[in-house]
Amino acid sequence: MELPADFPPSERGHRLAPDRLTVWRPMTVDAERVGTVVLVADLTEIASRVRSYIGIAALVFLLSVAAAVLISSQVQRVISAPILHLVDTARIVSDAQNYALRAQPGAADEIGLLIATFNDMLAQIQRRDTELERARDEAEAGNRAKDEFLAVVSHELRTPLTPILSWVRLLSGGGLDDSASQRALASIERNARSQAQLIDDLLDVSRIMAGKVRLDIQQLELPPIIDAAIDSIRPAADAKQIRVQAIVDPRAGLVAGDPERLQQVLWNLLSNAIKFTSRGGRVQVQLQRVNSHVEVSVSDTGQGIAPEFLPHVFERFRQADASSKRAHGGLGLGLAIVRNIVELHGGSVRATSTGTGEGATFTVELPISLLQTAPPPPRIHPRAVEPVPFQPSRSLAGIRVLVVDDEVDTLETIETVLTQCGAEVRTAVSAAAALEVLEHWVPDLVVSDIGMPGDDGYALIARMRTRDADHGGHVPAIALTAYARVEDRLRVLSAGFQMHVPKPIEPAELVAVVASVASWSAR
């Protein structure tokens, strides 16, 4: 081959050209150079292959990049996008406090399970939030009802006090003639009884709410109870010229119930009918047997019940008109008491009215007693009985009574009543003062209040019972208290008192109780 002109024959080396590689080495024999070996490689084919390989590598790289982009987009769609959507939903829920929002459901994989769990959590939070909101609304409604009720209670309790205080001041001034004085006394008594009725209703509701109402169940006929209830409201009906009519089926049958409580039911229904019936109207009471129960309905031609209020008529403290402009007083407890007493007897009560001005009908259903035996004589509810007039007498002559009460007005009242009946009375304003009196004077009877500051009536009777007979240890005692619950009466009797008399009391009743207990001790 032809060598280049600048080829150095005496040296070894190589030369790289764009299209060939030349390598040369000298040849020697016995230390004598005999020539030069030259190797020439054609690089054209190798260069072509290298370019091919580079192209293939570039193609593979591009395909790899494309595959990576495709895989990353799929991963983002399957994993990243749902997670980002979940994050966005959580952020919106947190900012807006809107637990009704939901994340878009995913596939049936781990991400989908995470989204479903998140949505379930939102649903639970939404339910609890709804319950809390409902409870808050009910609490707010309860607070409003409580405020309205307290306002009504304040009004109803203060209203009777106005004529009482006014007439008392006029009487104390001595400027009234006999006729005006009699009207004053009648007004004071009437308003005092009205206030006592309000307190009785409050106590009844308290006992009902606490589940502490006890019934004296016996076989009884309803006609005598209906007659007694009508007699009790007859004066109020006559004052408004309201005709009260009774349609009674004498064969209605016996029921099992508490006569006092059932008369309370009828008294409340009749009083309500009289209250809301205009002058010259009509009230009708009907007793009939219907299948296996008896129905007592009280209907009137009064102002009726608005359709929107009818579902709430038996609720506590609810009144169709609770504003300060209402025409009728009351606490809104009577019908609630009726419903609870009737339900305690296994019955039901319902109200019907075609609207305002159309009158109303209240129907009580009571199951017929399975044992149709002759009933005992019915007991009359205390509120249906006219008060016994107090007449001074000598029925307590020779009886020595110690009266203990921290209220000076009550103390003086009881002292006056007992003294006018011939009793020898001493008073004490505290348990300590009473014990001091017993040191040198032993009465036949002690009448003590329960609620007193310091040592109360329970402490007094406990210390009395530790004494000997010469210092009042065996003297019988009567508890005079405003605590009138069944458990209060049981506690009084267990403490050592012989009788429990709830306030307010009738003077005639007090005299009768004192005489009765004093006769026990004399035996």
PDB file of all heavy atoms in Angstrom, residues 203-222:
ATOM      1  N   LEU A 203     -96.621  21.464  92.341  1.00  0.00           N
ATOM      2  CA  LEU A 203     -96.157  20.272  93.052  1.00  0.00           C
ATOM      3  C   LEU A 203     -96.586  19.006  92.336  1.00  0.00           C
ATOM      4  O   LEU A 203     -95.830  18.027  92.269  1.00  0.00           O
ATOM      5  CB  LEU A 203     -96.703  20.292  94.487  1.00  0.00           C
ATOM      6  CG  LEU A 203     -96.139  21.375  95.406  1.00  0.00           C
ATOM      7  CD1 LEU A 203     -96.838  21.340  96.757  1.00  0.00           C
ATOM      8  CD2 LEU A 203     -94.630  21.201  95.588  1.00  0.00           C
ATOM      9  N   ASP A 204     -97.804  19.003  91.783  1.00  0.00           N
ATOM     10  CA  ASP A 204     -98.264  17.831  91.037  1.00  0.00           C
ATOM     11  C   ASP A 204     -97.373  17.572  89.832  1.00  0.00           C
ATOM     12  O   ASP A 204     -96.981  16.435  89.563  1.00  0.00           O
ATOM     13  CB  ASP A 204     -99.712  18.034  90.577  1.00  0.00           C
ATOM     14  CG  ASP A 204    -100.715  17.610  91.636  1.00  0.00           C
ATOM     15  OD1 ASP A 204    -100.339  16.803  92.509  1.00  0.00           O
ATOM     16  OD2 ASP A 204    -101.866  18.079  91.605  1.00  0.00           O
ATOM     17  N   VAL A 205     -97.061  18.634  89.092  1.00  0.00           N
ATOM     18  CA  VAL A 205     -96.194  18.466  87.917  1.00  0.00           C
ATOM     19  C   VAL A 205     -94.819  17.973  88.338  1.00  0.00           C
ATOM     20  O   VAL A 205     -94.218  17.115  87.683  1.00  0.00           O
ATOM     21  CB  VAL A 205     -96.095  19.788  87.141  1.00  0.00           C
ATOM     22  CG1 VAL A 205     -94.991  19.724  86.101  1.00  0.00           C
ATOM     23  CG2 VAL A 205     -97.422  20.095  86.466  1.00  0.00           C
ATOM     24  N   SER A 206     -94.306  18.501  89.441  1.00  0.00           N
ATOM     25  CA  SER A 206     -92.994  18.057  89.929  1.00  0.00           C
ATOM     26  C   SER A 206     -93.017  16.571  90.262  1.00  0.00           C
ATOM     27  O   SER A 206     -92.100  15.826  89.904  1.00  0.00           O
ATOM     28  CB  SER A 206     -92.599  18.883  91.157  1.00  0.00           C
ATOM     29  OG  SER A 206     -91.390  18.406  91.712  1.00  0.00           O
ATOM     30  N   ARG A 207     -94.061  16.132  90.941  1.00  0.00           N
ATOM     31  CA  ARG A 207     -94.160  14.705  91.282  1.00  0.00           C
ATOM     32  C   ARG A 207     -94.308  13.854  90.034  1.00  0.00           C
ATOM     33  O   ARG A 207     -93.726  12.775  89.931  1.00  0.00           O
ATOM     34  CB  ARG A 207     -95.343  14.495  92.227  1.00  0.00           C
ATOM     35  CG  ARG A 207     -95.075  14.904  93.668  1.00  0.00           C
ATOM     36  CD  ARG A 207     -96.188  14.440  94.580  1.00  0.00           C
ATOM     37  NE  ARG A 207     -97.385  15.235  94.407  1.00  0.00           N
ATOM     38  CZ  ARG A 207     -97.716  16.273  95.159  1.00  0.00           C
ATOM     39  NH1 ARG A 207     -96.913  16.649  96.133  1.00  0.00           N
ATOM     40  NH2 ARG A 207     -98.836  16.939  94.954  1.00  0.00           N
ATOM     41  N   ILE A 208     -95.098  14.326  89.063  1.00  0.00           N
ATOM     42  CA  ILE A 208     -95.300  13.563  87.836  1.00  0.00           C
ATOM     43  C   ILE A 208     -93.990  13.436  87.073  1.00  0.00           C
ATOM     44  O   ILE A 208     -93.628  12.358  86.592  1.00  0.00           O
ATOM     45  CB  ILE A 208     -96.380  14.242  86.970  1.00  0.00           C
ATOM     46  CG1 ILE A 208     -97.760  14.040  87.614  1.00  0.00           C
ATOM     47  CG2 ILE A 208     -96.384  13.673  85.559  1.00  0.00           C
ATOM     48  CD1 ILE A 208     -98.859  14.869  86.982  1.00  0.00           C
ATOM     49  N   MET A 209     -93.241  14.548  86.945  1.00  0.00           N
ATOM     50  CA  MET A 209     -91.973  14.512  86.218  1.00  0.00           C
ATOM     51  C   MET A 209     -90.960  13.612  86.913  1.00  0.00           C
ATOM     52  O   MET A 209     -90.124  12.987  86.263  1.00  0.00           O
ATOM     53  CB  MET A 209     -91.418  15.927  86.076  1.00  0.00           C
ATOM     54  CG  MET A 209     -92.252  16.831  85.191  1.00  0.00           C
ATOM     55  SD  MET A 209     -91.638  18.530  85.145  1.00  0.00           S
ATOM     56  CE  MET A 209     -90.056  18.289  84.349  1.00  0.00           C
ATOM     57  N   ALA A 210     -91.030  13.532  88.245  1.00  0.00           N
ATOM     58  CA  ALA A 210     -90.099  12.678  88.993  1.00  0.00           C
ATOM     59  C   ALA A 210     -90.583  11.240  89.086  1.00  0.00           C
ATOM     60  O   ALA A 210     -89.884  10.380  89.631  1.00  0.00           O
ATOM     61  CB  ALA A 210     -89.885  13.248  90.395  1.00  0.00           C
ATOM     62  N   GLY A 211     -91.783  10.958  88.552  1.00  0.00           N
ATOM     63  CA  GLY A 211     -92.320   9.607  88.614  1.00  0.00           C
ATOM     64  C   GLY A 211     -92.684   9.170  90.018  1.00  0.00           C
ATOM     65  O   GLY A 211     -92.595   7.983  90.349  1.00  0.00           O
ATOM     66  N   LYS A 212     -93.114  10.102  90.859  1.00  0.00           N
ATOM     67  CA  LYS A 212     -93.384   9.792  92.266  1.00  0.00           C
ATOM     68  C   LYS A 212     -94.858   9.924  92.622  1.00  0.00           C
ATOM     69  O   LYS A 212     -95.210  10.075  93.782  1.00  0.00           O
ATOM     70  CB  LYS A 212     -92.544  10.699  93.167  1.00  0.00           C
ATOM     71  CG  LYS A 212     -91.038  10.454  93.025  1.00  0.00           C
ATOM     72  CD  LYS A 212     -90.245  11.336  93.953  1.00  0.00           C
ATOM     73  CE  LYS A 212     -88.743  11.050  93.823  1.00  0.00           C
ATOM     74  NZ  LYS A 212     -87.929  11.890  94.716  1.00  0.00           N
ATOM     75  N   VAL A 213     -95.726   9.880  91.604  1.00  0.00           N
ATOM     76  CA  VAL A 213     -97.157   9.924  91.875  1.00  0.00           C
ATOM     77  C   VAL A 213     -97.619   8.526  92.277  1.00  0.00           C
ATOM     78  O   VAL A 213     -97.380   7.546  91.567  1.00  0.00           O
ATOM     79  CB  VAL A 213     -97.933  10.407  90.638  1.00  0.00           C
ATOM     80  CG1 VAL A 213     -99.428  10.333  90.885  1.00  0.00           C
ATOM     81  CG2 VAL A 213     -97.525  11.828  90.294  1.00  0.00           C
ATOM     82  N   ARG A 214     -98.289   8.436  93.402  1.00  0.00           N
ATOM     83  CA  ARG A 214     -98.801   7.158  93.885  1.00  0.00           C
ATOM     84  C   ARG A 214    -100.318   7.165  93.799  1.00  0.00           C
ATOM     85  O   ARG A 214    -100.971   8.133  94.188  1.00  0.00           O
ATOM     86  CB  ARG A 214     -98.349   6.902  95.321  1.00  0.00           C
ATOM     87  CG  ARG A 214     -96.840   6.824  95.465  1.00  0.00           C
ATOM     88  CD  ARG A 214     -96.440   6.406  96.861  1.00  0.00           C
ATOM     89  NE  ARG A 214     -94.989   6.340  97.001  1.00  0.00           N
ATOM     90  CZ  ARG A 214     -94.359   5.938  98.095  1.00  0.00           C
ATOM     91  NH1 ARG A 214     -95.068   5.558  99.144  1.00  0.00           N
ATOM     92  NH2 ARG A 214     -93.046   5.902  98.148  1.00  0.00           N
ATOM     93  N   LEU A 215    -100.879   6.068  93.300  1.00  0.00           N
ATOM     94  CA  LEU A 215    -102.320   5.951  93.130  1.00  0.00           C
ATOM     95  C   LEU A 215    -102.885   4.970  94.146  1.00  0.00           C
ATOM     96  O   LEU A 215    -102.303   3.906  94.393  1.00  0.00           O
ATOM     97  CB  LEU A 215    -102.656   5.479  91.708  1.00  0.00           C
ATOM     98  CG  LEU A 215    -102.171   6.371  90.553  1.00  0.00           C
ATOM     99  CD1 LEU A 215    -102.567   5.760  89.229  1.00  0.00           C
ATOM    100  CD2 LEU A 215    -102.706   7.777  90.680  1.00  0.00           C
ATOM    101  N   ASP A 216    -104.020   5.340  94.726  1.00  0.00           N
ATOM    102  CA  ASP A 216    -104.753   4.445  95.614  1.00  0.00           C
ATOM    103  C   ASP A 216    -105.838   3.781  94.772  1.00  0.00           C
ATOM    104  O   ASP A 216    -106.978   4.241  94.695  1.00  0.00           O
ATOM    105  CB  ASP A 216    -105.354   5.246  96.773  1.00  0.00           C
ATOM    106  CG  ASP A 216    -106.116   4.353  97.748  1.00  0.00           C
ATOM    107  OD1 ASP A 216    -105.930   3.122  97.679  1.00  0.00           O
ATOM    108  OD2 ASP A 216    -106.885   4.895  98.558  1.00  0.00           O
ATOM    109  N   ILE A 217    -105.470   2.678  94.099  1.00  0.00           N
ATOM    110  CA  ILE A 217    -106.358   2.038  93.134  1.00  0.00           C
ATOM    111  C   ILE A 217    -107.450   1.254  93.862  1.00  0.00           C
ATOM    112  O   ILE A 217    -107.165   0.487  94.789  1.00  0.00           O
ATOM    113  CB  ILE A 217    -105.577   1.108  92.191  1.00  0.00           C
ATOM    114  CG1 ILE A 217    -104.518   1.917  91.425  1.00  0.00           C
ATOM    115  CG2 ILE A 217    -106.507   0.396  91.226  1.00  0.00           C
ATOM    116  CD1 ILE A 217    -105.083   2.963  90.517  1.00  0.00           C
ATOM    117  N   GLN A 218    -108.700   1.453  93.417  1.00  0.00           N
ATOM    118  CA  GLN A 218    -109.829   0.700  93.947  1.00  0.00           C
ATOM    119  C   GLN A 218    -110.924   0.652  92.894  1.00  0.00           C
ATOM    120  O   GLN A 218    -110.905   1.411  91.923  1.00  0.00           O
ATOM    121  CB  GLN A 218    -110.345   1.343  95.236  1.00  0.00           C
ATOM    122  CG  GLN A 218    -110.625   2.823  95.117  1.00  0.00           C
ATOM    123  CD  GLN A 218    -110.946   3.462  96.447  1.00  0.00           C
ATOM    124  OE1 GLN A 218    -112.101   3.491  96.862  1.00  0.00           O
ATOM    125  NE2 GLN A 218    -109.917   3.958  97.132  1.00  0.00           N
ATOM    126  N   GLN A 219    -111.867  -0.284  93.088  1.00  0.00           N
ATOM    127  CA  GLN A 219    -112.998  -0.390  92.183  1.00  0.00           C
ATOM    128  C   GLN A 219    -113.947   0.778  92.471  1.00  0.00           C
ATOM    129  O   GLN A 219    -114.328   1.011  93.620  1.00  0.00           O
ATOM    130  CB  GLN A 219    -113.736  -1.712  92.401  1.00  0.00           C
ATOM    131  CG  GLN A 219    -112.847  -2.942  92.288  1.00  0.00           C
ATOM    132  CD  GLN A 219    -112.322  -3.137  90.882  1.00  0.00           C
ATOM    133  OE1 GLN A 219    -113.058  -2.998  89.924  1.00  0.00           O
ATOM    134  NE2 GLN A 219    -111.049  -3.465  90.752  1.00  0.00           N
ATOM    135  N   LEU A 220    -114.332   1.502  91.436  1.00  0.00           N
ATOM    136  CA  LEU A 220    -115.203   2.654  91.676  1.00  0.00           C
ATOM    137  C   LEU A 220    -116.109   2.905  90.489  1.00  0.00           C
ATOM    138  O   LEU A 220    -115.834   2.489  89.362  1.00  0.00           O
ATOM    139  CB  LEU A 220    -114.373   3.900  91.999  1.00  0.00           C
ATOM    140  CG  LEU A 220    -113.284   4.326  91.008  1.00  0.00           C
ATOM    141  CD1 LEU A 220    -113.838   5.242  89.934  1.00  0.00           C
ATOM    142  CD2 LEU A 220    -112.147   5.021  91.739  1.00  0.00           C
ATOM    143  N   GLU A 221    -117.203   3.595  90.775  1.00  0.00           N
ATOM    144  CA  GLU A 221    -118.125   4.058  89.752  1.00  0.00           C
ATOM    145  C   GLU A 221    -117.852   5.524  89.473  1.00  0.00           C
ATOM    146  O   GLU A 221    -117.568   6.304  90.392  1.00  0.00           O
ATOM    147  CB  GLU A 221    -119.573   3.863  90.213  1.00  0.00           C
ATOM    148  CG  GLU A 221    -119.979   2.396  90.351  1.00  0.00           C
ATOM    149  CD  GLU A 221    -121.397   2.256  90.869  1.00  0.00           C
ATOM    150  OE1 GLU A 221    -121.927   3.268  91.391  1.00  0.00           O
ATOM    151  OE2 GLU A 221    -121.966   1.164  90.752  1.00  0.00           O
ATOM    152  N   LEU A 222    -117.969   5.894  88.200  1.00  0.00           N
ATOM    153  CA  LEU A 222    -117.651   7.264  87.825  1.00  0.00           C
ATOM    154  C   LEU A 222    -118.786   8.255  88.055  1.00  0.00           C
ATOM    155  O   LEU A 222    -118.510   9.450  88.264  1.00  0.00           O
ATOM    156  CB  LEU A 222    -117.214   7.308  86.359  1.00  0.00           C
ATOM    157  CG  LEU A 222    -115.848   6.675  86.067  1.00  0.00           C
ATOM    158  CD1 LEU A 222    -115.557   6.706  84.575  1.00  0.00           C
ATOM    159  CD2 LEU A 222    -114.747   7.392  86.837  1.00  0.00           C
TER     160      LEU A 222
END
